Amino acid sequence: MQPINTALCSYGMSGHVFHAPFISVNPNFNLYGVLERTKNEAQKKYPNVKIFRDFELMLADDSIELVVVNTPNVTHYDFAKKAINAGKNVIVEKPFTASVAEAEELIQLAKAKNVIISVYHNRRFDSDFKTVQKVLKDGLLGTIVEAEIHYDRYDPVLSYKVHKETSTPGVGSIYDLGSHLIDQALVLFGMPLAVSADLDAFRPNSQVGDYFNLHLFYPSHRVILKSSYYVREALPGNIFHGTKGSFIKTKADVQEQELQSGKLPNSKDWGTESTKDQGLLHTEIDGKIIKEYIPTLKGDYMEFYNGMYDALRHNKQVPVSAEEGMNVIKIIEAALKSDKERKVIELS
C-alpha cells in the first residue's frame, strides 16, 4: 500500500523531536509537508519536504492524507476542526483540546466527515509506564490500594515561549504535564468516581499554574498525580502499593533525550533504559517474599505511528481514541473546578 502522506502543522520542538523522526523513518509514512510561516527549518533536515506558508493552502493539497496538529494548546481545536472539514485524518497533540465541549464537537465532526482522529498521548509508550503496566497485568502486587505518579522537574525560569506562559485556555502544567499523568492513570484504572485537586503557581511572576496535586477516587483504591517545577532532587516517579507488595521506579524513559541528541527511532537499542533505573519489586509470590530489581521494558513511541497505520490502512482501532483524549480533559476540568471551589468533584 502507498505510504501515508503526512503534514505537520508546526516544526518547533514537538515537530522536530516527537513527530518528524518517527514519520521519516517509518516506511509506511511519508513526511510530505510542514507548515512554517517564515522559516525553512524542516527542509534543512528533510530536503524533500514541502514547506507551506499558509494552513489553508496546506489543507487544499489533495496529496495530504494525515495532518498532525502540533500547534500551541489553545489552537488545537481550531486547527483540528479546519483539517477535519478539509477531509483530512488528524492526529492532535496532547492535550486534545482546552475544553470538553471542544473535544465533543471535534469527535462528532470527524464522524460526520468520515475521517479518523487520534490524540498523541505518547507517554503510554514510555519504558517506565510499559513496565508498570506489565507489573500490574501480571498481578505481582495483588489488588492495588494506592498509586502515585509524579512528573517533576527543576525549572524555575519562565519559558521563552510566550504562549506557554500566557494565561489562556489550555495552558499550564495541568494541561502540559498533567495530561500525560492523567492519561496513564486512566489507561491503568479507567475513569474515577471523583477528583480533588490543589493547583498553584510558585515561580516568580508566573501567570500559569506550575504545580498540581490531584487525587483520583476509585471504589477500592486512590491515585495521586503530582508535578512541581521546584523539584531538584526527584522522588521516584512511579509508586504502586498493593495487597501483596509494592513497585517503585524512577520516571526515566530515555526517548526524549535520544531524540534531542539526534538519535533516530530505528536505532538498534532504541528506548533502552540504563539498568540503574530499574524498578524495585517487593512482593510475595507463592508464599515467598521477593525483593529485587526487575528489567525495564523498552520504550517506543513508534508504536503510536504503527497503530495509526493499522487504523488508516487496515481499519483497526486508533492507538489513542479521541474519546480517551476527551476523558483526560474531563479530569482536568474537574480538577480546575475542585481547586476553585476547594472541594471534591464527583464525576457523572
Side-chain angles (χ1 to χ4, degrees):
M1 295 184 179
Q2 287 292 322
I4 298 166
N5 280 342
T6 304
L8 301 178
C9 289
S10 74
Y11 196 68
M13 177 179 174
S14 172
H16 84 265
V17 172
F18 288 110
H19 292 284
F22 295 93
I23 297 167
S24 66
V25 302
N26 190 321
N28 294 318
F29 290 84
N30 174 40
L31 184 58
Y32 179 88
V34 175
L35 179 64
E36 289 193 78
R37 303 292 187 184
T38 58
K39 300 179 180 180
N40 297 293
E41 294 301 313
Q43 224 165 39
K44 294 177 183 178
K45 179 73 173 179
Y46 307 100
N48 295 325
V49 76
K50 186 174 182 179
I51 301 298
F52 292 91
R53 301 301 188 198
D54 181 85
F55 186 48
E56 281 67 27
L57 288 178
M58 188 173 89
L59 294 179
D61 191 323
D62 292 334
S63 297
I64 296 172
E65 184 176 353
L66 175 64
V67 170
V68 179
V69 177
N70 59 325
T71 52
N73 298 353
V74 71
T75 68
H76 286 183
Y77 163 77
D78 184 56
F79 272 73
K81 184 176 181 179
K82 289 178 179 178
I84 293 168
N85 276 322
K88 308 300 185 184
N89 301 295
V90 179
I91 294 171
V92 184
E93 255 287 0
K94 65 80 205 167
F96 183 17
T97 53
S99 71
V100 172
E102 290 178 345
E104 288 178 331
E105 183 181 341
L106 292 181
I107 289 170
Q108 294 307 315
L109 183 61
K111 289 178 181 177
K113 294 293 184 179
N114 196 32
V115 298
I116 287 175
I117 183 169
S118 183
V119 183
Y120 191 65
H121 275 294
N122 61 312
R123 298 293 178 177
R124 291 187 182 190
F125 310 102
D126 276 354
S127 54
D128 60 338
F129 182 66
K130 290 173 70 175
T131 305
V132 165
Q133 277 186 298
K134 187 176 189 306
V135 168
L136 269 58
K137 183 180 179 181
D138 291 347
L140 299 180
L141 307 183
T143 301
I144 294 298
V145 174
E146 181 183 76
E148 186 169 341
I149 313 175
H150 288 237
Y151 202 141
D152 295 319
R153 56 180 52 166
Y154 185 78
D155 191 11
V157 180
L158 300 183
S159 173
Y160 68 91
K161 298 177 181 178
V162 176
H163 67 86
K164 283 184 172 288
E165 300 292 355
T166 304
S167 183
T168 54
V171 174
S173 66
I174 186 67
Y175 279 95
D176 283 336
L177 302 181
S179 58
H180 287 310
L181 302 188
I182 293 167
D183 181 66
Q184 290 182 344
L186 299 189
V187 169
L188 294 175
F189 305 115
M191 288 291 282
L193 300 176
V195 176
S196 173
D198 177 26
L199 312 177
D200 216 324
F202 292 123
R203 295 170 302 161
N205 302 315
S206 178
Q207 298 179 31
V208 303
D210 53 35
Y211 168 89
F212 62 79
N213 186 336
L214 272 62
H215 286 236
L216 309 184
F217 297 85
Y218 292 86
S220 60
H221 68 282
R222 301 289 182 265
V223 175
I224 301 165
L225 308 176
K226 294 186 67 176
S227 177
S228 171
Y229 283 13
Y230 278 102
V231 179
R232 194 185 286 273
E233 183 64 31
L235 295 169
N238 301 279
I239 306 167
F240 288 76
H241 302 298
T243 53
K244 289 185 177 180
S246 302
F247 181 66
I248 299 174
K249 190 191 178 311
T250 58
K251 204 155 193 63
D253 186 87
V254 298
Q255 291 180 87
E256 181 174 347
Q257 178 184 343
E258 290 179 329
L259 290 163
Q260 289 180 329
S261 72
K263 190 173 182 177
L264 291 175
N266 57 354
S267 303
K268 180 181 177 182
D269 58 346
W270 177 259
T272 303
E273 278 188 14
S274 168
T275 55
K276 69 179 178 61
D277 290 313
Q278 289 182 349
L280 175 64
L281 177 66
H282 188 181
T283 191
E284 181 180 345
I285 300 176
D286 297 329
K288 182 181 179 181
I289 301 299
I290 303 292
K291 188 174 183 180
E292 62 185 14
Y293 289 92
I294 64 173
T296 304
L297 299 180
K298 284 187 177 184
D300 192 1
Y301 301 154
M302 189 65 85
E303 292 181 35
F304 178 91
Y305 272 100
N306 289 337
M308 281 302 297
Y309 175 78
D310 284 339
L312 289 167
R313 291 291 183 260
H314 303 298
N315 200 32
K316 300 287 184 67
Q317 291 292 323
V318 291
V320 182
S321 72
E323 288 78 8
E324 289 174 313
M326 180 174 67
N327 283 339
V328 171
I329 308 305
K330 285 182 179 179
I331 301 296
I332 291 176
E333 286 192 348
L336 294 172
K337 182 178 175 66
S338 171
D339 179 68
K340 182 179 180 179
E341 299 180 5
R342 310 309 294 172
K343 66 179 185 181
V344 175
I345 303 300
E346 294 187 2
L347 299 178
S348 58

